[in-house]
């Protein structure tokens, strides 16, 4: 079976809604695809897991969250990120790789000799680089 990503995206223009989907593409590429003239703000990848599977995994997650679905024919759910992750982890308990976004590292006081945070942070597992402090657990 081919590998793919179950992902969670947020968008500041859609407060309280998360997009939960499945793609064979890297989630950051999928988020970029969704950044069209019809969407006022770009999507942000909040979470993804790499799994062996297909879109049936997505459908199972959607069924678990059906009561929270914003509109039947759309992949948007009125849930907190934690609730979305619990549903995904119930369907995909042993993913090959998991990544989640964390808040940016707060500004640190300047102390002589202290190293500054690098402008790019790279995941040692998947090699993805990020401008803000984001990690793969």
């Amino acid at each position: 079976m081919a590998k793919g990503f179950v992902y969670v995206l947020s968008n500041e223009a859609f407060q309280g809604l998360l997009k939960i989907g499945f793609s064979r593409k890297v989630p950051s590429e999928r988020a970029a695809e969704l950044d069209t003239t019809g969407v006022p703000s770009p999507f942000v990848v909040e979470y993804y897991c790499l799994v062996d599977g297909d879109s049936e995994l997505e459908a199972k997650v959607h069924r678990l969250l059906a009561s929270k679905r914003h509109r039947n024919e759309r992949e948007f759910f009125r849930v907190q990120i934690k609730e979305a992750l619990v549903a995904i982890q119930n369907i995909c308990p042993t993913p090959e790789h998991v990544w989640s976004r964390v808040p940016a590292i707060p500004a640190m006081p300047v102390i002589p000799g202290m190293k500054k945070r690098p402008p790019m942070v790279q995941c040692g597992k998947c090699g993805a680089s990020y401008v803000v402090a984001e990690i793969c657990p």
Side-chain angles (χ1 to χ4, degrees):
M1 188 169 284
K3 294 179 193 282
F5 298 91
V6 176
Y7 62 82
V8 177
L9 305 178
S10 66
N11 188 309
E12 67 180 23
F14 307 134
Q15 290 295 317
L17 291 175
L18 295 176
K19 180 174 181 355
I20 301 170
F22 176 87
S23 178
R24 300 240 183 262
K25 297 177 183 177
V26 174
S28 57
E29 289 179 25
R30 180 68 182 125
E33 284 179 344
L34 296 169
D35 190 14
T36 64
T37 57
V39 180
S41 298
F43 281 89
V44 174
V45 179
E46 297 291 345
Y47 170 90
Y48 69 74
C49 61
L50 177 61
V51 295
D52 283 321
D54 55 23
S55 58
E56 182 55 32
L57 293 172
E58 170 192 68
K60 288 178 181 178
V61 173
H62 289 180
R63 283 193 291 275
L64 275 180
L65 297 172
S67 67
K68 308 289 179 115
R69 198 167 200 153
H70 181 69
R71 198 168 139 198
N72 282 339
E73 59 277 354
R74 298 289 184 255
E75 297 178 334
F76 289 91
F77 298 83
R78 195 163 297 285
V79 293
Q80 298 295 315
I81 292 171
K82 186 175 182 175
E83 187 176 356
L85 299 187
V86 167
I88 292 167
Q89 290 163 357
N90 279 329
I91 300 302
C92 310
T94 56
E96 181 177 317
H97 181 67
V98 174
W99 178 91
S100 62
R101 187 169 82 92
V102 296
I105 296 172
M108 299 168 69
V110 177
I111 299 172
M114 186 169 89
K115 294 182 178 181
K116 292 183 180 180
R117 177 173 61 93
M120 296 294 284
V121 178
Q122 187 170 32
C123 171
K125 284 187 175 181
C126 70
S129 295
Y130 305 96
V131 175
V132 296
E134 300 182 5
I135 60 168
C136 293

